[in-house]
Amino acid sequence: MFSGMRVTAAASRVLHGTLRGYSNMAAAGRGLIFRQLFEPVSCTYTYLLADEATKEAVLIDPVLETANRDAKLIQDLGLKMVYAANTHCHADHITGTGVLKKLLPGSKSVISKDSGALADVHIQEGDLIKFGNFSLEARATPGHTDGCLTYVLNDKSMAFTGDALLIRGCGRTDFQQGCPNTLYQSVHSKIFTLPNSCFLYPAHDYTGQTVSTVEEEKRLNPRLTKSEAEFVKIMNNLNLRKPAQIEGPVSCGARLFPMVLTEFPASTRTSEKTPYTPLLWSYRPETSQRTTSS
């Protein structure tokens, strides 16, 4: 379609907006309610999926600051949230699951059993999150963290990749149990094996894009189209700044102690070229629950 043309940033945004609109219509056509929501400070996407018939809903990667917005949308649509599921423990925002459970009684928090985080439900590879006539299959995609999960809709038309796979990028691998070899193998064996037409929805985007496909990322991702050895070399030489205190409370307390996140000033965010910008970890022994950073 665009052979011989240079696709501008504006055109790219139009294309991805069209993809998002198409996926919304496709979802509605089979009785699935789907919304992609955005938190601008950490550039985090939250996803709402619900069965139009039963009204049961799942929220993926909610953020604390937008919990009230999400709860209102769920109530406005007449839905019942059964699960608030995290793709992993993020290091760049506080999850909204705790607040949402209070705003929407009866809902349960979900995260990988390998995350070391507290939740009502711990899941692993192959487990299903059921809502009405739909379900999300959990695929273990570690490498960014040990507890990363990709959630795949039962008809394999959509996948929610967290930070394992971003649009034309991926999550960093230099802290929080990160390993570039593991991440490469996770993406190629668990995400790139999905149908080429499967829509991919990441946890973050810093360039205004909203959705990709398996085919696009297999062809265009500047890191994951390389060999594993080349990918490892790239990831080991990003030289990204680590969050302050990352070696202390995170590595020592991730599986033992309650954790919270402190806000990182917007002025200190890295450039758009940095695929992942974490916030500061801090440790509060008096906190009753470790943040399951969505």
Side-chain angles (χ1 to χ4, degrees):
M1 177 181 179
F2 289 95
S3 177
M5 294 175 58
R6 180 183 176 187
V7 180
T8 65
S12 178
R13 287 192 292 272
V14 170
L15 285 170
H16 281 82
T18 301
L19 276 178
R20 179 171 61 175
Y22 174 80
S23 59
N24 285 341
M25 289 188 292
R30 58 184 186 275
L32 176 71
I33 296 171
F34 175 66
R35 298 289 187 275
Q36 183 180 42
L37 306 165
F38 187 64
E39 192 286 305
V41 176
S42 60
C43 297
T44 299
Y45 285 123
T46 296
Y47 299 98
L48 172 65
L49 296 91
D51 185 322
E52 193 172 27
T54 68
K55 305 301 183 184
E56 290 187 338
V58 173
L59 202 63
I60 299 174
D61 284 344
V63 179
L64 176 64
E65 286 76 9
T66 51
N68 287 309
R69 175 204 66 187
D70 298 345
K72 184 177 185 303
L73 176 60
I74 289 167
Q75 291 167 337
D76 287 347
L77 295 178
L79 305 176
K80 177 186 177 182
M81 189 175 81
V82 287
Y83 298 110
N86 296 293
T87 54
H88 67 294
C89 276
H90 287 270
D92 61 353
H93 67 264
I94 304 175
T95 183
T97 52
V99 172
L100 285 164
K101 285 169 58 179
K102 294 179 180 178
L103 295 173
L104 302 169
S107 58
K108 296 181 179 181
S109 57
V110 180
I111 201 166
S112 167
K113 71 177 185 63
D114 296 317
S115 68
L118 298 180
D120 297 314
V121 181
H122 288 97
I123 60 175
Q124 60 187 344
E125 171 84 20
D127 287 344
L128 299 179
I129 300 174
K130 296 182 179 180
F131 56 107
N133 296 309
F134 297 91
S135 63
L136 292 168
E137 174 199 353
R139 294 193 176 192
T141 48
H144 172 59
T145 74
D146 281 350
C148 284
L149 293 172
T150 289
Y151 295 123
V152 181
L153 194 64
N154 51 283
D155 65 358
K156 295 182 172 57
S157 63
M158 298 180 177
F160 303 88
T161 58
D163 285 11
L165 179 62
L166 305 178
I167 298 172
R168 311 298 190 264
C170 62
R172 63 191 292 175
T173 58
D174 59 333
F175 73 96
Q176 215 179 359
Q177 310 102 40
C179 173
N181 296 90
T182 301
L183 181 58
Y184 187 91
Q185 293 160 15
S186 291
V187 172
H188 279 263
S189 65
K190 301 294 180 65
I191 299 176
F192 283 178
T193 52
L194 290 166
N196 281 339
S197 59
C198 178
F199 289 110
L200 300 179
Y201 292 95
H204 304 279
D205 189 82
Y206 307 99
T207 64
Q209 300 189 77
T210 57
V211 60
S212 186
T213 66
V214 170
E215 187 277 332
E216 280 187 33
E217 295 308 313
K218 285 165 64 173
R219 181 168 52 90
L220 299 172
N221 192 293
R223 296 178 183 175
L224 288 153
T225 51
K226 308 292 186 184
S227 69
E228 182 174 343
E230 290 175 303
F231 176 78
V232 170
K233 184 177 180 180
I234 290 170
M235 298 305 292
N236 285 342
N237 288 280
L238 291 178
N239 298 317
L240 300 176
R241 176 173 45 86
K242 286 187 179 182
Q245 307 178 44
I246 192 75
E247 299 298 343
V250 171
S251 60
C252 296
R255 300 183 183 276
L256 299 173
F257 303 110
M259 308 287 286
V260 297
L261 296 171
T262 57
E263 192 165 343
F264 210 67
S267 61
T268 60
R269 292 182 63 82
T270 54
S271 70
E272 282 190 346
K273 294 181 179 179
T274 302
Y276 187 88
T277 308
L279 303 189
L280 294 173
W281 286 94
S282 66
Y283 172 48
R284 295 182 191 167
E286 72 277 9
T287 306
S288 61
Q289 179 175 340
R290 185 201 168 191
T291 301
T292 54
S293 130
S294 312

